[in-house]
Amino acid sequence: MQKPLPSPAPPAPPLEFDDLLTFAAWLYYVDGLTQSDVAQRLGVSRASVVNYLQDARTRGIVSIRLDPAAASRIGLARRLAERFGLVAAHVIPSIAETAGSDAGRPDRRIGTAGARILADMLKPGDTVGVAWGRTVLAAARATVASEIKGLTIVQASGSSLSTDDFSPELCTSLLANQLGARCLNFHAPVVLSSRALRDQLLAEPSLRRQFEHIRAADIILFGVGDIGPGSTFAASGMADAAELAQLRKTEAIGIVIGRLIDAKGEAVASDLDARIVGISLAELKQVPVRLCLAGGAHKRSAIAAALSGGCATHFVTDATTAEALLAGK
């Protein structure tokens, strides 16, 4: 039987590298190869590569510098989590907003960060509740196309009459499409004309099944809004100008998935709230993972209220908002 030919010897390092240690460091830190790839390239074990890289740091061939700004953001995230009892907080750098450009818009940037964090959370068979708003829509748009087995995306509130592109049904369907998931949209308006009609509609079997899915959610994705005249809430068509003016005279300071909250993050009773079709604050707080995406100067009081009230377990924001929240501004 013919003996197999011996494997070819590993290539020698180029002349500009004086030893394997330097060559290994270059392949790993500059070319971005994995330790296994480096080991294969050099014809050594992965353990040898680990030793090479450690020696490179010890001898000063490789120096690792932690960006002070990144370290500061890590500190802000840790302090936010401690301050508001969060499982985790994530803080992205702040950049100035530029007129006519989306580059500095907090909703776009926070939504993009939230999409990446959500992707790391998802598991096969999960049910994900989805709210609405500009930041949630940005997250849906930034989600990388993939398929997770048995994933269900469910709309957490009724549909909006808004003509803008941040409606609940769009946020839900877009995210489901990106993830190759089953999509459950709400076939009912978010606000009805009377409480009696809402109660009657919620007795329908199809909507009862929708709420069963919402209550069974493993994760819920939502934002926080204010109730000012330029807010998403005002643009959503949930309340007319007279109702909005009246609501601003109450203790309401913000809105979470269509529900008004006060400074403590508690629900504010109102005629509007009694006519809403969607998840309640109490139901929201029963979802195991509650990923809140929010930022912006005009929302800081509303965000602080939502976090203080325990609406979120995980929070994504920008550094300027994080600093303001920690300073109590």
Side-chain angles (χ1 to χ4, degrees), residues 6-311:
S7 300
L15 293 177
E16 63 265 27
F17 295 96
D18 60 359
D19 56 25
L20 286 175
L21 185 151
T22 306
F23 195 25
W26 184 276
L27 291 172
Y28 184 74
Y29 289 108
V30 179
D31 290 339
L33 272 63
T34 66
Q35 292 179 0
S36 296
D37 289 339
V38 174
Q40 184 176 11
R41 176 75 180 276
L42 299 182
V44 299
S45 68
R46 185 174 176 277
S48 294
V49 173
V50 172
N51 290 333
Y52 290 161
L53 298 177
Q54 179 61 50
D55 288 345
R57 292 194 296 271
T58 301
R59 290 169 48 179
I61 295 171
V62 172
S63 62
I64 298 175
R65 184 180 66 87
L66 183 63
D67 181 2
S72 173
R73 293 195 299 274
I74 293 170
L76 286 172
R78 185 185 66 252
R79 289 161 58 200
L80 276 175
E82 292 172 351
R83 174 75 166 271
F84 294 104
L86 302 165
V87 174
H90 305 269
V91 179
I92 65 172
S94 296
I95 61 174
E97 295 187 53
T98 304
S101 171
D102 289 337
R105 282 180 51 175
D107 59 312
R108 296 291 176 89
R109 300 179 66 248
I110 293 169
T112 298
R116 297 177 182 179
I117 292 161
L118 176 64
D120 289 338
M121 292 177 168
L122 296 173
K123 305 183 301 298
D126 274 349
T127 294
V128 181
V130 178
W132 50 276
R134 294 183 178 94
T135 310
V136 173
L137 178 60
R141 285 178 168 157
T143 298
V144 176
S146 61
E147 288 194 16
I148 299 175
K149 186 176 181 180
L151 191 66
T152 298
I153 308 296
V154 58
Q155 188 175 322
S157 68
S159 298
S160 169
L161 296 177
S162 170
T163 57
D164 292 280
D165 63 353
F166 46 78
S167 64
E169 55 272 31
L170 177 61
C171 294
T172 306
S173 58
L174 181 56
L175 183 62
N177 184 64
Q178 291 297 95
L179 295 172
R182 176 190 183 195
C183 180
L184 298 178
N185 284 123
F186 237 130
H187 300 296
V190 65
V191 179
L192 295 172
S193 58
S194 70
R195 179 171 187 167
L197 180 58
R198 185 206 66 170
D199 292 345
Q200 183 178 0
L201 190 60
L202 292 185
E204 288 294 315
S206 61
L207 290 188
R208 290 173 62 183
R209 287 193 295 272
Q210 182 88 4
F211 272 94
E212 288 172 2
H213 284 288
I214 293 172
R215 296 184 184 110
D218 304 284
I219 302 170
I220 189 162
L221 178 69
F222 68 99
V224 176
D226 65 306
I227 58 173
S231 65
T232 304
F233 177 60
S236 69
M238 290 180 63
D240 59 28
E243 288 176 311
L244 284 170
Q246 188 62 36
L247 290 171
R248 292 186 196 113
K249 296 178 182 179
T250 69
E251 66 270 32
I253 199 171
I255 189 163
V256 174
I257 319 185
R259 302 292 181 174
L260 296 165
I261 58 171
D262 62 18
K264 295 182 180 179
E266 299 297 332
V268 175
S270 67
D271 174 67
L272 175 67
D273 188 74
R275 296 185 283 116
I276 286 178
V277 175
I279 189 172
S280 68
L281 284 181
E283 290 168 332
L284 166 67
K285 294 174 185 179
Q286 294 300 311
V287 179
V289 177
R290 306 184 292 279
L291 178 57
C292 175
L293 316 179
H298 60 293
K299 293 184 182 181
R300 288 172 193 164
S301 296
I303 295 168
L307 297 180
S308 297
C311 293

